[in-house]
């Protein structure tokens, strides 16, 4: 993606179902879980590079022994940093106590981080400060083992204000106004309540505080706690939690917006945000890794019993299509084919734009995530060329010479690596002139392969803001002096902000929105903007379930093609000599390519939860009033 987007986040959870001695004997180390967690987090570094965290719980420790460990980092390479800290601590313990090396019981008693329940998280900071305090896992501490709660998630809530207020009503005083703290305190409240009720029952049965503890662990109903806590949540989420005594859970939102995959055998239960992570790290087949159903939780009790429980009634499935287009690892078997199909489905529009002149067209892509869609596009281009070659040979019949047949057969799609990513622009550079100069040099180009009569077709996975395209890519491509530059987006026009975890919080930064505003001005219809503002204002006091997305009316007067042409105009200035055309994927083709992942609110404004409409209207109000604030 040429426009930098940030996404939160990636989760990884491991529950070892055997004693640590088993892993020492079979795999050579009692730190088997820690080693696997490192690999799982490293394989998900694409999902978050601003911070990383790790936590573990030891089962069946004696009073006075430390059973929870946690380490977090916002270093430049946070995953490597936290595991360097872990390894350093382990090695120091082994140096000081060589007798621990073969004694698993001594390792568990004396060395932190080793444990049977492990939780990892990689973070992109889309909300709040990027300090180590913002990095998951979060910890809610208590002297009662059963009331300790560790949480990490890939989520964003649209109704944090209401959830925060509900905590106040419960008599709590949350330490921060963030969705992570709010969610953790909500679960923590009902966890405390459940533990207290179970203890009261046990006391009546004759148990004292000490003997009640194992009974509380056994009787605690995690699913019931989650149902009570999640009752009014609105957002996209995949969240994992560990309870101090050893129960663990992973809960997915009812619309399936955020991805969650799991694998289980007799040795291990493992959860990750992406399927190929589990496949690679544990060497298991595609079919062995399951997707957690929307609205359900995977719960592992301290005893090792694994259950999948329905927590919330599933909504219409709207799993995020942007995950498929861009964020998730392309090594997933389904995602790889979906991305190829996105490229294939664009080819008819591309052929129309170049007047079927494949001889004088060079095809390329924006590295690196558009590469797979590029393969699909080229497969379709080759199929078109083969069809024309066949027709030419059949039309020529016996009059064709061998040389002419060879010439016809030699034609193929001209593929070159044109754009080369040179620099990763760091977002801390905020001064406009410096930033713009750096953006202009993010990409370099390959010289000497484009002729003056060539079309240059280059595919990107999506165009969000258009900044890098305008400031860098188009200017660099124009230096090659092609006749025409055709930029192809494998995603549709991104028209609406996201509120479920991807960093698209306002409208005016979206190039499609700016294009629609420009068209309204050009056509004398700009009064629609004020009308939409009034409709948004009139809804501010309504319950979320009654709110409509009136921002759609900004786009209604225009066809997709008109908006695409205006985007082409806005992103190319008088310094660019080549004709510029930008082609976007139609939404219906996105659904053809990703039929099981229909979360398309970025493109259509059809938000999968009721809070989405309130967020988009708030984003429009902020735009109209000139408030540079987040809409959620």
């Amino acid at each position: 993606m040429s426009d930098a987007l940030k996404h939160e986040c990636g989760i990884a959870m491991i529950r070892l179902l055997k004693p640590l001695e088993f892993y020492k004997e079979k795999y050579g180390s009692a730190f088997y879980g820690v080693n696997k967690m490192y690999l799982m987090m490293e394989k998900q570094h694409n999902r978050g590079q601003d911070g990383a965290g790790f936590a573990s719980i030891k089962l069946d420790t004696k009073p006075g022994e430390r059973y929870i460990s946690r380490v977090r980092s916002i270093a430049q390479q946070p995953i490597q940093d936290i595991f360097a800290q872990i390894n350093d601590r382990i090695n120091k313990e082994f140096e000081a106590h060589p007798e621990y090396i073969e004694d698993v019981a001594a390792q568990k008693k004396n060395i932190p981080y080793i444990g049977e329940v492990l939780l990892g998280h990689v973070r992109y900071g889309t909300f709040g400060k990027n300090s180590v305090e913002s990095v998951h896992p979060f910890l809610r501490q208590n002297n009662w083992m059963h009331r300790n709660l560790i949480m990490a998630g890939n989520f964003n809530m649209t109704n944090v204000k209401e959830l925060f207020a509900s905590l106040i009503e419960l008599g709590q005083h949350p330490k921060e106004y963030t969705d992570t703290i709010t969610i953790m305190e909500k679960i923590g409240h009902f966890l405390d309540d459940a533990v207290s009720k179970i203890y009261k029952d046990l006391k009546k049965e004759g148990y004292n505080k000490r003997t009640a503890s194992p009974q509380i662990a056994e009787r605690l109903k995690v699913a019931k706690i989650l149902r009570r806590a999640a009752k009014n949540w609105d957002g996209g989420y995949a969240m994992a939690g560990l309870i101090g005594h050893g129960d663990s859970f992973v809960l997915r939102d009812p619309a399936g917006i955020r991805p969650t995959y799991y694998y289980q055998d007799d040795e291990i239960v493992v959860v990750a945000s992406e399927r190929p992570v589990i496949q690679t790290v544990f060497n298991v087949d595609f079919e062995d890794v399951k997707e957690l159903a929307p609205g359900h939780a995977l719960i592992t009790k301290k005893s090792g019993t694994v259950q999948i429980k329905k927590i919330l009634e599933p909504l219409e499935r709207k799993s995020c299509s942007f995950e498929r287009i861009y964020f998730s690892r392309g090594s997933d078997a389904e995602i790889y084919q979906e991305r190829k199909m996105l490229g294939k489905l664009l080819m008819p529009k591309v052929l129309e734009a170049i007047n079927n002149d494949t001889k004088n067209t060079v095809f390329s892509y924006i590295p690196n995530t558009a590469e797979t869609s590029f393969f699909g596009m080229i497969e379709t281009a080759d199929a078109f060329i083969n069809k024309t070659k066949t027709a030419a040979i059949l039309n020529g019949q016996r009059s064709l010479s061998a040389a002419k047949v060879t010439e016809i057969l030699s034609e193929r799609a001209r593929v070159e690596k044109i754009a080369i990513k040179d620099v990763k622009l760091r977002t801390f550079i905020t001064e406009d002139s410096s930033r713009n100069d750096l953006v202009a040099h993010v990409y370099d180009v390959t010289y000497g392969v484009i002729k003056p009569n060539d079309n240059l077709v280059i595919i990107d996975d999506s165009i969000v803001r258009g900044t890098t395209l305008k400031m860098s890519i188009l200017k660099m491509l124009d230096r090659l002096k092609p006749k025409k530059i055709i930029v192809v987006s494998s995603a549709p026009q991104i028209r609406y902000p996201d509120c479920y975890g991807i960093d698209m919080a306002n409208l005016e930064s979206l190039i499609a929105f700016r294009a629609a505003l420009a068209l309204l001005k050009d056509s004398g219809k700009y009064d629609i903007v004020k009308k939409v503002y009034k409709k948004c204002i009139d809804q501010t006091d309504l319950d979320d379930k009654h709110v409509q997305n009136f921002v759609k009316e900004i786009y209604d007067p225009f066809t997709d093609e008109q908006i695409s042409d205006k985007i082409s105009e806005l992103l190319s200035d008088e310094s660019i000599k080549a004709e510029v055309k930008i082609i976007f994927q139609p939404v219906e083709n996105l659904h053809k390519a990703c039929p099981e992942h229909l979360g398309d609110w970025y493109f259509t404004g059809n938000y999968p939860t009721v809070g989405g409409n309130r967020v988009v209207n708030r984003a429009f109000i902020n735009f109209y009033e000139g408030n540079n604030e987040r809409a959620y």
Side-chain angles (χ1 to χ4, degrees), residues 324 330-345 372-373 376 379 592-594:
R324 321 299 289 184
S331 56
D332 182 280
E334 288 181 343
I335 290 173
Y336 183 78
Q337 294 302 326
E338 288 166 6
R339 289 181 182 175
K340 281 186 75 174
M341 182 57 70
L342 288 168
K344 289 180 178 182
L345 292 171
T372 307
S373 296
E379 281 184 13
K592 286 178 187 175
C594 310

Side-chain angles (χ1 to χ4, degrees), residues 530-582:
K530 187 173 183 179
K531 291 176 182 175
V532 170
Y533 170 70
K534 187 176 186 311
K535 289 180 178 180
C536 293
I537 287 291
D538 289 345
Q539 294 188 109
T540 50
D541 293 328
L542 295 180
D543 290 340
D544 284 354
K545 63 184 177 182
H546 299 304
V547 176
Q548 300 177 56
N549 179 1
F550 286 115
V551 182
K552 291 181 179 183
E553 295 181 11
I554 297 294
Y555 300 97
D556 285 347
F558 312 110
T559 65
D560 291 354
E561 195 71 27
Q562 286 174 308
I563 293 174
S564 295
D565 289 344
K566 179 54 74 172
I567 291 172
S568 303
E569 182 185 321
L570 293 177
L571 295 185
S572 55
D573 55 38
E574 65 281 354
S575 68
I576 295 176
K577 303 296 188 291
E579 179 188 349
V580 174
K581 183 172 181 62
I582 298 178

Side-chain angles (χ1 to χ4, degrees), residues 324-570:
R324 321 299 289 184
I325 296 168
Y326 173 66
F327 290 112
S328 294
R329 293 174 73 86
S331 56
D332 182 280
E334 288 181 343
I335 290 173
Y336 183 78
Q337 294 302 326
E338 288 166 6
R339 289 181 182 175
K340 281 186 75 174
M341 182 57 70
L342 288 168
K344 289 180 178 182
L345 292 171
L346 279 163
M347 201 58 204
K349 278 193 166 191
V350 173
L351 289 170
E352 182 183 337
I354 63 173
N355 295 317
N356 295 334
D357 184 10
T358 53
K359 272 188 181 178
N360 296 302
T361 300
V362 171
F363 296 91
S364 193
Y365 62 91
I366 303 293
N368 288 316
T369 50
E371 187 174 5
T372 307
S373 296
F374 173 73
F375 290 152
M377 189 171 72
I378 293 306
E379 281 184 13
T380 309
D382 282 336
F384 170 79
I385 291 169
N386 287 338
K387 190 176 178 180
T388 60
K389 288 191 287 191
T390 301
I393 292 171
L394 291 175
N395 291 338
Q397 297 181 353
R398 296 185 179 182
S399 63
L400 291 176
S401 65
K404 185 62 177 174
V405 172
T406 301
E407 180 188 335
I408 292 171
L409 291 175
S410 66
E411 185 185 344
R412 57 179 53 86
R414 292 169 59 196
V415 172
E416 304 288 353
K417 186 167 185 179
I418 295 294
I420 303 160
K421 195 162 188 179
D422 251 354
V423 177
K424 181 181 179 183
L425 180 70
R426 296 300 296 173
T427 54
F428 55 69
I429 301 165
T430 56
E431 196 249 317
D432 286 344
S433 59
S434 299
R435 186 183 180 90
N436 289 342
D437 184 57
L438 280 164
V439 170
H441 292 87
V442 167
Y443 289 88
D444 203 347
V445 288
T446 303
Y447 293 94
V449 295
I450 303 292
K451 302 191 297 290
N453 62 333
D454 279 340
N455 303 303
L456 174 54
V457 174
I458 192 156
I459 189 169
D460 199 353
D461 44 44
S462 57
I463 300 168
V464 185
R465 305 178 185 100
T467 307
T468 309
L469 198 58
K470 180 173 184 174
M471 300 302 299
S472 176
I473 294 171
L474 286 175
K475 293 180 186 296
M476 300 296 277
L477 296 179
D478 194 55
R479 292 182 188 178
L480 304 178
K481 297 182 170 57
K483 176 179 65 178
K484 189 174 185 179
I485 301 170
I486 300 159
V487 180
V488 186
S489 169
S490 66
Q493 297 165 5
I494 296 170
R495 299 181 172 190
Y496 303 94
D498 180 64
C499 53
Y500 304 117
I502 295 173
D503 189 19
M504 289 189 283
N506 58 45
L507 277 165
E508 57 270 30
S509 67
L510 305 178
I511 187 60
F513 181 74
R514 299 203 305 272
L517 293 180
L519 286 170
L520 289 172
K521 286 180 181 176
D522 294 346
S523 59
K525 298 177 181 176
Y526 201 76
D527 61 315
I528 290 175
V529 174
K530 187 173 183 179
K531 291 176 182 175
V532 170
Y533 170 70
K534 187 176 186 311
K535 289 180 178 180
C536 293
I537 287 291
D538 289 345
Q539 294 188 109
T540 50
D541 293 328
L542 295 180
D543 290 340
D544 284 354
K545 63 184 177 182
H546 299 304
V547 176
Q548 300 177 56
N549 179 1
F550 286 115
V551 182
K552 291 181 179 183
E553 295 181 11
I554 297 294
Y555 300 97
D556 285 347
F558 312 110
T559 65
D560 291 354
E561 195 71 27
Q562 286 174 308
I563 293 174
S564 295
D565 289 344
K566 179 54 74 172
I567 291 172
S568 303
E569 182 185 321
L570 293 177

Side-chain angles (χ1 to χ4, degrees), residues 590-615:
L590 173 66
H591 293 168
K592 286 178 187 175
C594 310
E596 302 299 319
H597 305 274
L598 302 178
D600 61 5
W601 57 92
Y602 318 89
F603 319 116
T604 64
N606 299 327
Y607 287 88
T609 75
V610 292
N613 288 337
R614 177 174 48 78
V615 169

